[in-house]
Amino acid sequence: MRKMQAKKRYILVIICCAFLVYCYLGGYRLKWLQKVFRIRVHKNPDTLPCYHQLHYQYKSSDVTEDSLAPDDDLHVSPTYEFRNRNSAVLPSFHVGGSRGGTSNDVAVEACRMETCFDFSKCDNKNFLVYVYPPEPLNSLGAPPPISQNYQKIISAIQESRYYTTDPEQACLFVLGIDTLDRDSLSEDFVRNVPSRLQRLPYWNNGRNHIIFNLYSGTWPDYNENGLGFDPGQAILAKASMSVQSLRPGFDVSIPLFHKQFPLRGGNTGFVLTNNFPANKKYLLAFKGKRYVHGIGSETRNSLFHLHNARDLVLVTTCKHGKSWRDLQDARCDEDNREYDRYDYETLLQNSTFCLVPRGRRLGSFRFLEALQAGCIPVLLSNSWVLPFQSKIDWKQAAIWADERLLLQVPDIVRSISVSRILALRQQTQVLWERYFSSIEKIVFTTFEIIRERLPDYPHRNGLIWNSSPGALLTIPTFSDTPRRFPFQLDTLGIAPGLNYTAVIFVQIGMQLTPNTALYKLVKSITKSQFVDKILILWASDRAVPSRKRWPSTGHISLQIISGSTSEDRPSISQRFYPHEHIETDAVLSLDEDAILNTDELDFAYQVWRDFPDRIVGYPARAHFWDDSKNAWGYTSKWTNYYSIVLTGAAFYHRYYNYLYTNWLSYLLLKTVEQSSNCEDILMNLLVSHVTRKPPVKVTQRKGYKDRESGRSPWNDPDHFIQRQSCLNTFAAVFGYMPLLRSNLRLDPVLYRDSVSNLRKKYRQIELVGS
């Protein structure tokens, strides 16, 4: 019995000793780890580790206890994994002050928005961007070099609503130094960038700065990190980014675009019809260079295995560079002959799928060219982060293949159903036109992605980003629900809100009597069964008539807003200001001299409910191209087509007031202000730009004459010439002509009714002179 008790005591003593040893060694280990991971938050809270560095794996040779001084900061390279669709593993980032690498291979600091971006500089309502002024002339009196594309980026920003000349108000800073081409062998390579960055007054190690880059590294390895300078904590908006170098939630991957890429507007997509199935001559096509030496050679050098000259056309050439003959292989002559047989543009237009293999770098010009042509991209570039991949669902527009499994590509494209081919091709056009057709759209998309990272800025969901009209034209500060946006109603399968607000713009302000047009117009509106409120915008120099001189409106509210509501907004544009009094989705825009009866108002409103994303109204105009003047023309003559419905008598969704006031370029609004004209044309261009659809004209009474075709202060030669000038200015600022022609006219006799029993539903419209 005593032996058993003694044995238990010995076991208990051993357990206690083991526990003490474990606690001692464990505590020692804990103190060592605390020392290793010590981050002096009280001195610099921005050195907090990124969220994706939570799992570390250290080798004994990386860090030892003796290698750290008592107050040393962290200078280690964590190994971690972050996987995307390609299951590629992100590399180590150097965290801390000193980083290794040559001048052409600079390790980028592992940042995220919470650690490397100062949100306090940003305002949710005004996301402002400051562009550094050009550097002073050099010793030879020459300005610093800047490429054509970088000048376009700067111009796009300076002519936009993002731009501010006050650095104290800026959320984001853009360099005046051209960083697009960091290939040291390129003629556009800018030297001495590190020293130039240090001279910038607001550089602050790159915090709140964005650096645009298309090319990095040089021959022969074309190292992706070969910028030649340390970007510090700046956001990289970079082409050809890999998952190994992208800092998730911080950097932005942008597309590679050529030197002739347009500043704004850009060509529309080439798909004019959506035939089903798409009967294209070629199933898969590619025409481009191959590299017999250096990086990017493996994939393109093997494409001849897939080429059959029938439905698969994949041809390459060795002809590039000065020494291609010295490096050519046994296949070059044959490949060059086959290459010359095909025209590149013809292949794009006549192919269902277009191969997009990597070149020297991961990105390729072929990507945007295929999108524009409606040729579905087949990507052969492992680990490439596609442009704006954090927001755009590329599964809806592109196909992935593996560089290591090249021979599987034909089977992949042959297995895709015709219905999916149609959907993919349609999505290429949406993405091209909304995000990629101009440098301006690429830059603005980059800004909006960064803007959505602000803590209090509302996010647009994937449906908005990946459907027309896209995120750039869907301003989330207007509403927090998609049902408030006119172009989302059809997608959601819901109808717009009931009733409308009549907004009458009074510019002349003639004496108000029962016989004047304004008095009769108000009476007609009050009889409408759908009117919610009448808003009078009084922009005349004459005094507003007293309330007793206006006709009785019964239960319908009539409110008068006198003068401009904002000193810096052109007074003629106040008719499209998003007044808080407008609570209905539908807005009926009227001029003071519009001659409409109640039936005309109700019929137009019923039509608008079927087309809530468009302008629906009565007086129509048309634009045309005048070859003799090499300019756009404007006509009020009755033609077989129209492209403009004047807002002197038209319905539209109130969201377009918000866009007109808060989104349109100041250059466009300034044109309206200077001319005191053309605001209705500008609204038509805006709606057509958003919807890519024409307006809708409804049939008026036989005796109806709109103001521009009758005797009116607006109907004079100078007024007409001025409107043509406005039209051309607007098209130049948009970068293209948004207006679209239509032959559709909707008549109340036939519209959505059975002719036999409801023919007289709108009796007043058929009465001449009523």
Side-chain angles (χ1 to χ4, degrees), residues 430 433-434 467-470 472-475 485-488 613-614 655-656 659-660 663-664 682-694 734 736 738-740:
V430 171
E433 292 189 3
R434 297 307 178 181
S467 61
S468 193
L472 297 186
L473 290 166
T474 307
I475 305 179
F485 295 93
F487 35 78
Q488 295 290 339
D613 58 338
R614 307 201 214 179
Y655 177 62
Y656 296 123
L659 279 182
Y660 187 99
W663 182 86
L664 279 177
L682 180 55
M683 176 60 86
N684 272 266
L685 266 77
L686 170 63
V687 176
S688 293
H689 174 70
V690 172
T691 63
R692 304 304 300 137
K693 300 174 185 176
F734 272 99
Y736 78 114
L739 295 177
L740 298 170

mmCIF file of all heavy atoms in Angstrom, residues 430 433-434 467-470 472-475 485-488 613-614 655-656 659-660 663-664 682-694 734 736 738-740:
data_model
loop_
_atom_site.group_PDB
_atom_site.id
_atom_site.type_symbol
_atom_site.label_atom_id
_atom_site.label_comp_id
_atom_site.label_asym_id
_atom_site.label_seq_id
_atom_site.Cartn_x
_atom_site.Cartn_y
_atom_site.Cartn_z
ATOM 1 N N VAL A 430 -20.375 44.190 -74.181
ATOM 2 C CA VAL A 430 -20.714 44.985 -72.996
ATOM 3 C C VAL A 430 -19.450 45.470 -72.305
ATOM 4 O O VAL A 430 -19.301 46.661 -71.998
ATOM 5 C CB VAL A 430 -21.579 44.157 -72.022
ATOM 6 C CG1 VAL A 430 -21.749 44.895 -70.688
ATOM 7 C CG2 VAL A 430 -22.935 43.845 -72.638
ATOM 8 N N GLU A 433 -17.368 48.111 -74.500
ATOM 9 C CA GLU A 433 -17.933 49.455 -74.612
ATOM 10 C C GLU A 433 -17.992 50.176 -73.270
ATOM 11 O O GLU A 433 -17.899 51.405 -73.231
ATOM 12 C CB GLU A 433 -19.325 49.386 -75.230
ATOM 13 C CG GLU A 433 -19.309 48.943 -76.694
ATOM 14 C CD GLU A 433 -20.659 49.094 -77.360
ATOM 15 O OE1 GLU A 433 -21.596 49.600 -76.696
ATOM 16 O OE2 GLU A 433 -20.787 48.715 -78.543
ATOM 17 N N ARG A 434 -18.115 49.453 -72.165
ATOM 18 C CA ARG A 434 -18.290 50.112 -70.878
ATOM 19 C C ARG A 434 -16.987 50.376 -70.135
ATOM 20 O O ARG A 434 -16.920 51.297 -69.315
ATOM 21 C CB ARG A 434 -19.229 49.284 -69.997
ATOM 22 C CG ARG A 434 -20.630 49.149 -70.569
ATOM 23 C CD ARG A 434 -21.224 50.497 -70.915
ATOM 24 N NE ARG A 434 -22.563 50.380 -71.504
ATOM 25 C CZ ARG A 434 -23.281 51.419 -71.914
ATOM 26 N NH1 ARG A 434 -22.796 52.641 -71.818
ATOM 27 N NH2 ARG A 434 -24.475 51.239 -72.427
ATOM 28 N N SER A 467 -23.063 44.074 -66.168
ATOM 29 C CA SER A 467 -24.162 44.248 -67.106
ATOM 30 C C SER A 467 -24.215 45.705 -67.533
ATOM 31 O O SER A 467 -23.708 46.591 -66.837
ATOM 32 C CB SER A 467 -25.491 43.817 -66.482
ATOM 33 O OG SER A 467 -25.786 44.595 -65.334
ATOM 34 N N SER A 468 -24.825 45.938 -68.665
ATOM 35 C CA SER A 468 -24.921 47.298 -69.186
ATOM 36 C C SER A 468 -25.906 48.112 -68.342
ATOM 37 O O SER A 468 -26.918 47.568 -67.882
ATOM 38 C CB SER A 468 -25.387 47.241 -70.642
ATOM 39 O OG SER A 468 -25.214 48.463 -71.283
ATOM 40 N N PRO A 469 -25.619 49.386 -68.077
ATOM 41 C CA PRO A 469 -24.545 50.216 -68.617
ATOM 42 C C PRO A 469 -23.242 50.190 -67.835
ATOM 43 O O PRO A 469 -22.329 50.954 -68.137
ATOM 44 C CB PRO A 469 -25.162 51.612 -68.559
ATOM 45 C CG PRO A 469 -25.993 51.587 -67.326
ATOM 46 C CD PRO A 469 -26.567 50.196 -67.275
ATOM 47 N N GLY A 470 -23.137 49.349 -66.823
ATOM 48 C CA GLY A 470 -21.894 49.212 -66.084
ATOM 49 C C GLY A 470 -21.781 50.139 -64.896
ATOM 50 O O GLY A 470 -22.623 51.005 -64.652
ATOM 51 N N LEU A 472 -19.582 52.545 -64.194
ATOM 52 C CA LEU A 472 -19.221 53.951 -64.386
ATOM 53 C C LEU A 472 -20.454 54.832 -64.523
ATOM 54 O O LEU A 472 -20.394 56.032 -64.259
ATOM 55 C CB LEU A 472 -18.334 54.109 -65.627
ATOM 56 C CG LEU A 472 -16.975 53.413 -65.592
ATOM 57 C CD1 LEU A 472 -16.155 53.787 -66.827
ATOM 58 C CD2 LEU A 472 -16.200 53.764 -64.326
ATOM 59 N N LEU A 473 -21.571 54.254 -64.962
ATOM 60 C CA LEU A 473 -22.796 55.027 -65.158
ATOM 61 C C LEU A 473 -23.854 54.702 -64.115
ATOM 62 O O LEU A 473 -24.982 55.172 -64.222
ATOM 63 C CB LEU A 473 -23.349 54.767 -66.562
ATOM 64 C CG LEU A 473 -22.509 55.361 -67.691
ATOM 65 C CD1 LEU A 473 -22.906 54.782 -69.032
ATOM 66 C CD2 LEU A 473 -22.635 56.877 -67.706
ATOM 67 N N THR A 474 -23.493 53.916 -63.129
ATOM 68 C CA THR A 474 -24.403 53.598 -62.033
ATOM 69 C C THR A 474 -23.807 54.175 -60.755
ATOM 70 O O THR A 474 -22.935 53.572 -60.137
ATOM 71 C CB THR A 474 -24.602 52.077 -61.893
ATOM 72 O OG1 THR A 474 -24.993 51.532 -63.159
ATOM 73 C CG2 THR A 474 -25.662 51.760 -60.861
ATOM 74 N N ILE A 475 -24.265 55.347 -60.369
ATOM 75 C CA ILE A 475 -23.705 56.049 -59.220
ATOM 76 C C ILE A 475 -24.424 55.593 -57.955
ATOM 77 O O ILE A 475 -25.621 55.869 -57.780
ATOM 78 C CB ILE A 475 -23.826 57.573 -59.395
ATOM 79 C CG1 ILE A 475 -23.172 58.005 -60.711
ATOM 80 C CG2 ILE A 475 -23.195 58.298 -58.210
ATOM 81 C CD1 ILE A 475 -23.265 59.478 -60.984
ATOM 82 N N PHE A 485 -32.889 52.496 -60.385
ATOM 83 C CA PHE A 485 -32.156 52.814 -61.612
ATOM 84 C C PHE A 485 -32.976 52.342 -62.817
ATOM 85 O O PHE A 485 -33.411 51.190 -62.860
ATOM 86 C CB PHE A 485 -30.785 52.143 -61.611
ATOM 87 C CG PHE A 485 -29.876 52.648 -60.527
ATOM 88 C CD1 PHE A 485 -29.811 52.020 -59.292
ATOM 89 C CD2 PHE A 485 -29.088 53.774 -60.732
ATOM 90 C CE1 PHE A 485 -28.984 52.478 -58.285
ATOM 91 C CE2 PHE A 485 -28.250 54.249 -59.737
ATOM 92 C CZ PHE A 485 -28.194 53.606 -58.508
ATOM 93 N N PRO A 486 -33.190 53.192 -63.806
ATOM 94 C CA PRO A 486 -34.110 52.848 -64.905
ATOM 95 C C PRO A 486 -33.685 51.634 -65.707
ATOM 96 O O PRO A 486 -34.523 50.857 -66.159
ATOM 97 C CB PRO A 486 -34.105 54.111 -65.770
ATOM 98 C CG PRO A 486 -32.836 54.828 -65.426
ATOM 99 C CD PRO A 486 -32.599 54.528 -63.979
ATOM 100 N N PHE A 487 -32.382 51.430 -65.886
ATOM 101 C CA PHE A 487 -31.900 50.336 -66.721
ATOM 102 C C PHE A 487 -31.863 49.002 -65.977
ATOM 103 O O PHE A 487 -31.576 47.975 -66.572
ATOM 104 C CB PHE A 487 -30.511 50.657 -67.263
ATOM 105 C CG PHE A 487 -29.651 51.430 -66.307
ATOM 106 C CD1 PHE A 487 -29.024 50.807 -65.244
ATOM 107 C CD2 PHE A 487 -29.482 52.789 -66.460
ATOM 108 C CE1 PHE A 487 -28.251 51.516 -64.351
ATOM 109 C CE2 PHE A 487 -28.697 53.523 -65.575
ATOM 110 C CZ PHE A 487 -28.077 52.882 -64.514
ATOM 111 N N GLN A 488 -32.150 49.003 -64.672
ATOM 112 C CA GLN A 488 -32.196 47.759 -63.905
ATOM 113 C C GLN A 488 -33.609 47.200 -63.792
ATOM 114 O O GLN A 488 -33.784 46.052 -63.378
ATOM 115 C CB GLN A 488 -31.634 47.983 -62.496
ATOM 116 C CG GLN A 488 -30.164 48.332 -62.447
ATOM 117 C CD GLN A 488 -29.273 47.170 -62.833
ATOM 118 O OE1 GLN A 488 -29.668 46.011 -62.780
ATOM 119 N NE2 GLN A 488 -28.055 47.473 -63.259
ATOM 120 N N ASP A 613 -36.274 53.431 -69.369
ATOM 121 C CA ASP A 613 -34.877 53.842 -69.472
ATOM 122 C C ASP A 613 -34.647 54.833 -70.607
ATOM 123 O O ASP A 613 -33.521 55.294 -70.803
ATOM 124 C CB ASP A 613 -33.973 52.620 -69.669
ATOM 125 C CG ASP A 613 -34.349 51.816 -70.900
ATOM 126 O OD1 ASP A 613 -35.504 51.924 -71.355
ATOM 127 O OD2 ASP A 613 -33.487 51.071 -71.412
ATOM 128 N N ARG A 614 -35.693 55.208 -71.338
ATOM 129 C CA ARG A 614 -35.519 56.092 -72.495
ATOM 130 C C ARG A 614 -36.298 57.395 -72.337
ATOM 131 O O ARG A 614 -37.151 57.527 -71.456
ATOM 132 C CB ARG A 614 -35.987 55.399 -73.776
ATOM 133 C CG ARG A 614 -35.361 54.044 -74.003
ATOM 134 C CD ARG A 614 -35.462 53.679 -75.458
ATOM 135 N NE ARG A 614 -35.644 52.241 -75.660
ATOM 136 C CZ ARG A 614 -35.774 51.671 -76.842
ATOM 137 N NH1 ARG A 614 -35.758 52.416 -77.930
ATOM 138 N NH2 ARG A 614 -35.925 50.363 -76.944
ATOM 139 N N TYR A 655 -33.435 59.620 -62.614
ATOM 140 C CA TYR A 655 -32.012 59.332 -62.434
ATOM 141 C C TYR A 655 -31.157 60.118 -63.414
ATOM 142 O O TYR A 655 -30.018 60.478 -63.103
ATOM 143 C CB TYR A 655 -31.749 57.834 -62.602
ATOM 144 C CG TYR A 655 -30.283 57.461 -62.505
ATOM 145 C CD1 TYR A 655 -29.568 57.683 -61.334
ATOM 146 C CD2 TYR A 655 -29.606 56.911 -63.594
ATOM 147 C CE1 TYR A 655 -28.217 57.347 -61.239
ATOM 148 C CE2 TYR A 655 -28.260 56.575 -63.508
ATOM 149 C CZ TYR A 655 -27.581 56.794 -62.337
ATOM 150 O OH TYR A 655 -26.237 56.469 -62.243
ATOM 151 N N TYR A 656 -31.732 60.421 -64.583
ATOM 152 C CA TYR A 656 -30.946 61.162 -65.570
ATOM 153 C C TYR A 656 -30.713 62.606 -65.137
ATOM 154 O O TYR A 656 -29.746 63.224 -65.557
ATOM 155 C CB TYR A 656 -31.631 61.094 -66.936
ATOM 156 C CG TYR A 656 -31.687 59.685 -67.479
ATOM 157 C CD1 TYR A 656 -32.887 59.085 -67.820
ATOM 158 C CD2 TYR A 656 -30.524 58.936 -67.611
ATOM 159 C CE1 TYR A 656 -32.937 57.784 -68.295
ATOM 160 C CE2 TYR A 656 -30.563 57.634 -68.080
ATOM 161 C CZ TYR A 656 -31.767 57.062 -68.415
ATOM 162 O OH TYR A 656 -31.799 55.771 -68.874
ATOM 163 N N LEU A 659 -27.556 62.183 -63.082
ATOM 164 C CA LEU A 659 -26.380 62.034 -63.945
ATOM 165 C C LEU A 659 -26.016 63.356 -64.609
ATOM 166 O O LEU A 659 -24.837 63.714 -64.698
ATOM 167 C CB LEU A 659 -26.638 60.976 -65.012
ATOM 168 C CG LEU A 659 -26.486 59.509 -64.633
ATOM 169 C CD1 LEU A 659 -26.728 58.628 -65.847
ATOM 170 C CD2 LEU A 659 -25.105 59.222 -64.056
ATOM 171 N N TYR A 660 -27.008 64.058 -65.106
ATOM 172 C CA TYR A 660 -26.769 65.327 -65.787
ATOM 173 C C TYR A 660 -26.029 66.307 -64.877
ATOM 174 O O TYR A 660 -25.070 66.959 -65.287
ATOM 175 C CB TYR A 660 -28.100 65.918 -66.240
ATOM 176 C CG TYR A 660 -27.988 67.158 -67.105
ATOM 177 C CD1 TYR A 660 -28.096 67.071 -68.488
ATOM 178 C CD2 TYR A 660 -27.800 68.415 -66.540
ATOM 179 C CE1 TYR A 660 -28.007 68.201 -69.287
ATOM 180 C CE2 TYR A 660 -27.707 69.557 -67.331
ATOM 181 C CZ TYR A 660 -27.812 69.442 -68.704
ATOM 182 O OH TYR A 660 -27.708 70.568 -69.491
ATOM 183 N N TRP A 663 -22.586 63.902 -63.039
ATOM 184 C CA TRP A 663 -21.684 63.017 -63.790
ATOM 185 C C TRP A 663 -21.129 63.650 -65.056
ATOM 186 O O TRP A 663 -19.955 63.453 -65.381
ATOM 187 C CB TRP A 663 -22.421 61.726 -64.149
ATOM 188 C CG TRP A 663 -21.565 60.741 -64.884
ATOM 189 C CD1 TRP A 663 -20.726 59.814 -64.337
ATOM 190 C CD2 TRP A 663 -21.452 60.599 -66.310
ATOM 191 N NE1 TRP A 663 -20.097 59.099 -65.336
ATOM 192 C CE2 TRP A 663 -20.523 59.553 -66.552
ATOM 193 C CE3 TRP A 663 -22.040 61.235 -67.396
ATOM 194 C CZ2 TRP A 663 -20.177 59.150 -67.840
ATOM 195 C CZ3 TRP A 663 -21.703 60.839 -68.685
ATOM 196 C CH2 TRP A 663 -20.776 59.804 -68.892
ATOM 197 N N LEU A 664 -21.938 64.419 -65.767
ATOM 198 C CA LEU A 664 -21.485 64.985 -67.036
ATOM 199 C C LEU A 664 -20.246 65.846 -66.857
ATOM 200 O O LEU A 664 -20.054 66.502 -65.828
ATOM 201 C CB LEU A 664 -22.590 65.833 -67.668
ATOM 202 C CG LEU A 664 -23.686 65.092 -68.439
ATOM 203 C CD1 LEU A 664 -24.728 66.084 -68.936
ATOM 204 C CD2 LEU A 664 -23.111 64.300 -69.607
ATOM 205 N N LEU A 682 -28.227 67.854 -75.138
ATOM 206 C CA LEU A 682 -27.267 67.201 -74.251
ATOM 207 C C LEU A 682 -27.935 66.088 -73.443
ATOM 208 O O LEU A 682 -27.352 65.019 -73.259
ATOM 209 C CB LEU A 682 -26.637 68.228 -73.311
ATOM 210 C CG LEU A 682 -25.609 67.702 -72.314
ATOM 211 C CD1 LEU A 682 -24.480 66.951 -73.018
ATOM 212 C CD2 LEU A 682 -25.030 68.845 -71.476
ATOM 213 N N MET A 683 -29.156 66.311 -72.980
ATOM 214 C CA MET A 683 -29.859 65.261 -72.248
ATOM 215 C C MET A 683 -30.107 64.046 -73.141
ATOM 216 O O MET A 683 -29.978 62.895 -72.702
ATOM 217 C CB MET A 683 -31.179 65.796 -71.689
ATOM 218 C CG MET A 683 -32.027 64.748 -70.985
ATOM 219 S SD MET A 683 -31.200 63.963 -69.565
ATOM 220 C CE MET A 683 -31.602 65.110 -68.243
ATOM 221 N N ASN A 684 -30.421 64.263 -74.412
ATOM 222 C CA ASN A 684 -30.607 63.149 -75.341
ATOM 223 C C ASN A 684 -29.315 62.374 -75.545
ATOM 224 O O ASN A 684 -29.321 61.137 -75.574
ATOM 225 C CB ASN A 684 -31.132 63.668 -76.681
ATOM 226 C CG ASN A 684 -32.633 63.766 -76.740
ATOM 227 O OD1 ASN A 684 -33.313 62.843 -77.189
ATOM 228 N ND2 ASN A 684 -33.162 64.886 -76.266
ATOM 229 N N LEU A 685 -28.202 63.069 -75.679
ATOM 230 C CA LEU A 685 -26.923 62.383 -75.825
ATOM 231 C C LEU A 685 -26.591 61.579 -74.582
ATOM 232 O O LEU A 685 -26.076 60.456 -74.671
ATOM 233 C CB LEU A 685 -25.801 63.387 -76.118
ATOM 234 C CG LEU A 685 -25.483 63.621 -77.603
ATOM 235 C CD1 LEU A 685 -26.547 64.519 -78.227
ATOM 236 C CD2 LEU A 685 -24.108 64.249 -77.794
ATOM 237 N N LEU A 686 -26.896 62.141 -73.411
ATOM 238 C CA LEU A 686 -26.613 61.441 -72.157
ATOM 239 C C LEU A 686 -27.406 60.137 -72.068
ATOM 240 O O LEU A 686 -26.839 59.075 -71.768
ATOM 241 C CB LEU A 686 -26.955 62.350 -70.980
ATOM 242 C CG LEU A 686 -26.933 61.693 -69.592
ATOM 243 C CD1 LEU A 686 -25.535 61.193 -69.256
ATOM 244 C CD2 LEU A 686 -27.419 62.668 -68.523
ATOM 245 N N VAL A 687 -28.710 60.195 -72.335
ATOM 246 C CA VAL A 687 -29.546 58.998 -72.208
ATOM 247 C C VAL A 687 -29.148 57.954 -73.248
ATOM 248 O O VAL A 687 -29.083 56.755 -72.949
ATOM 249 C CB VAL A 687 -31.029 59.371 -72.333
ATOM 250 C CG1 VAL A 687 -31.904 58.123 -72.298
ATOM 251 C CG2 VAL A 687 -31.436 60.324 -71.218
ATOM 252 N N SER A 688 -28.842 58.385 -74.464
ATOM 253 C CA SER A 688 -28.412 57.432 -75.493
ATOM 254 C C SER A 688 -27.058 56.832 -75.152
ATOM 255 O O SER A 688 -26.798 55.663 -75.449
ATOM 256 C CB SER A 688 -28.358 58.121 -76.857
ATOM 257 O OG SER A 688 -29.644 58.481 -77.300
ATOM 258 N N HIS A 689 -26.179 57.605 -74.534
ATOM 259 C CA HIS A 689 -24.885 57.090 -74.102
ATOM 260 C C HIS A 689 -25.054 56.020 -73.026
ATOM 261 O O HIS A 689 -24.344 55.010 -73.031
ATOM 262 C CB HIS A 689 -24.026 58.233 -73.571
ATOM 263 C CG HIS A 689 -22.725 57.803 -72.973
ATOM 264 N ND1 HIS A 689 -21.685 57.310 -73.711
ATOM 265 C CD2 HIS A 689 -22.298 57.791 -71.678
ATOM 266 C CE1 HIS A 689 -20.668 56.999 -72.918
ATOM 267 N NE2 HIS A 689 -21.022 57.276 -71.677
ATOM 268 N N VAL A 690 -25.992 56.217 -72.132
ATOM 269 C CA VAL A 690 -26.218 55.254 -71.050
ATOM 270 C C VAL A 690 -26.863 53.979 -71.580
ATOM 271 O O VAL A 690 -26.419 52.874 -71.272
ATOM 272 C CB VAL A 690 -27.098 55.886 -69.947
ATOM 273 C CG1 VAL A 690 -27.495 54.832 -68.915
ATOM 274 C CG2 VAL A 690 -26.370 57.034 -69.266
ATOM 275 N N THR A 691 -27.897 54.129 -72.388
ATOM 276 C CA THR A 691 -28.708 52.978 -72.786
ATOM 277 C C THR A 691 -28.243 52.335 -74.082
ATOM 278 O O THR A 691 -28.544 51.165 -74.324
ATOM 279 C CB THR A 691 -30.170 53.406 -72.966
ATOM 280 O OG1 THR A 691 -30.257 54.375 -74.031
ATOM 281 C CG2 THR A 691 -30.714 54.018 -71.687
ATOM 282 N N ARG A 692 -27.531 53.083 -74.936
ATOM 283 C CA ARG A 692 -27.200 52.651 -76.294
ATOM 284 C C ARG A 692 -28.481 52.310 -77.054
ATOM 285 O O ARG A 692 -28.539 51.380 -77.856
ATOM 286 C CB ARG A 692 -26.231 51.461 -76.308
ATOM 287 C CG ARG A 692 -24.945 51.692 -75.561
ATOM 288 C CD ARG A 692 -24.180 52.934 -76.058
ATOM 289 N NE ARG A 692 -23.814 52.826 -77.478
ATOM 290 C CZ ARG A 692 -23.936 53.845 -78.346
ATOM 291 N NH1 ARG A 692 -24.436 54.995 -77.949
ATOM 292 N NH2 ARG A 692 -23.580 53.697 -79.593
ATOM 293 N N LYS A 693 -29.525 53.125 -76.807
ATOM 294 C CA LYS A 693 -30.809 52.973 -77.483
ATOM 295 C C LYS A 693 -31.312 54.355 -77.899
ATOM 296 O O LYS A 693 -30.977 55.355 -77.264
ATOM 297 C CB LYS A 693 -31.841 52.326 -76.541
ATOM 298 C CG LYS A 693 -31.483 50.948 -76.033
ATOM 299 C CD LYS A 693 -32.500 50.487 -74.996
ATOM 300 C CE LYS A 693 -32.110 49.151 -74.377
ATOM 301 N NZ LYS A 693 -33.060 48.760 -73.295
ATOM 302 N N PRO A 694 -32.133 54.419 -78.944
ATOM 303 C CA PRO A 694 -32.703 55.711 -79.346
ATOM 304 C C PRO A 694 -33.873 56.086 -78.458
ATOM 305 O O PRO A 694 -34.412 55.245 -77.723
ATOM 306 C CB PRO A 694 -33.173 55.443 -80.788
ATOM 307 C CG PRO A 694 -33.509 53.987 -80.796
ATOM 308 C CD PRO A 694 -32.527 53.326 -79.851
ATOM 309 N N PHE A 734 -17.670 63.709 -75.871
ATOM 310 C CA PHE A 734 -17.994 62.296 -75.634
ATOM 311 C C PHE A 734 -16.982 61.382 -76.317
ATOM 312 O O PHE A 734 -16.798 60.243 -75.893
ATOM 313 C CB PHE A 734 -19.404 61.970 -76.131
ATOM 314 C CG PHE A 734 -20.491 62.210 -75.124
ATOM 315 C CD1 PHE A 734 -21.247 63.365 -75.160
ATOM 316 C CD2 PHE A 734 -20.765 61.282 -74.136
ATOM 317 C CE1 PHE A 734 -22.256 63.601 -74.239
ATOM 318 C CE2 PHE A 734 -21.772 61.496 -73.208
ATOM 319 C CZ PHE A 734 -22.524 62.660 -73.254
ATOM 320 N N TYR A 736 -17.348 60.304 -79.348
ATOM 321 C CA TYR A 736 -18.085 59.624 -80.407
ATOM 322 C C TYR A 736 -19.488 60.215 -80.435
ATOM 323 O O TYR A 736 -19.830 61.055 -79.598
ATOM 324 C CB TYR A 736 -18.123 58.110 -80.167
ATOM 325 C CG TYR A 736 -19.117 57.659 -79.123
ATOM 326 C CD1 TYR A 736 -20.220 56.890 -79.460
ATOM 327 C CD2 TYR A 736 -18.964 58.011 -77.781
ATOM 328 C CE1 TYR A 736 -21.143 56.475 -78.508
ATOM 329 C CE2 TYR A 736 -19.873 57.607 -76.823
ATOM 330 C CZ TYR A 736 -20.957 56.844 -77.190
ATOM 331 O OH TYR A 736 -21.864 56.444 -76.235
ATOM 332 N N PRO A 738 -23.133 59.559 -79.614
ATOM 333 C CA PRO A 738 -23.996 58.592 -78.908
ATOM 334 C C PRO A 738 -25.381 58.423 -79.532
ATOM 335 O O PRO A 738 -26.029 57.404 -79.324
ATOM 336 C CB PRO A 738 -24.112 59.185 -77.498
ATOM 337 C CG PRO A 738 -23.037 60.217 -77.399
ATOM 338 C CD PRO A 738 -22.828 60.720 -78.778
ATOM 339 N N LEU A 739 -25.866 59.436 -80.271
ATOM 340 C CA LEU A 739 -27.238 59.385 -80.772
ATOM 341 C C LEU A 739 -27.430 58.224 -81.743
ATOM 342 O O LEU A 739 -26.566 57.935 -82.567
ATOM 343 C CB LEU A 739 -27.596 60.700 -81.459
ATOM 344 C CG LEU A 739 -27.644 61.949 -80.571
ATOM 345 C CD1 LEU A 739 -27.944 63.173 -81.408
ATOM 346 C CD2 LEU A 739 -28.671 61.788 -79.458
ATOM 347 N N LEU A 740 -28.596 57.598 -81.640
ATOM 348 C CA LEU A 740 -28.953 56.477 -82.509
ATOM 349 C C LEU A 740 -30.278 56.778 -83.198
ATOM 350 O O LEU A 740 -31.187 57.359 -82.598
ATOM 351 C CB LEU A 740 -29.076 55.185 -81.690
ATOM 352 C CG LEU A 740 -27.793 54.725 -80.989
ATOM 353 C CD1 LEU A 740 -28.099 53.590 -80.034
ATOM 354 C CD2 LEU A 740 -26.747 54.306 -81.992
#
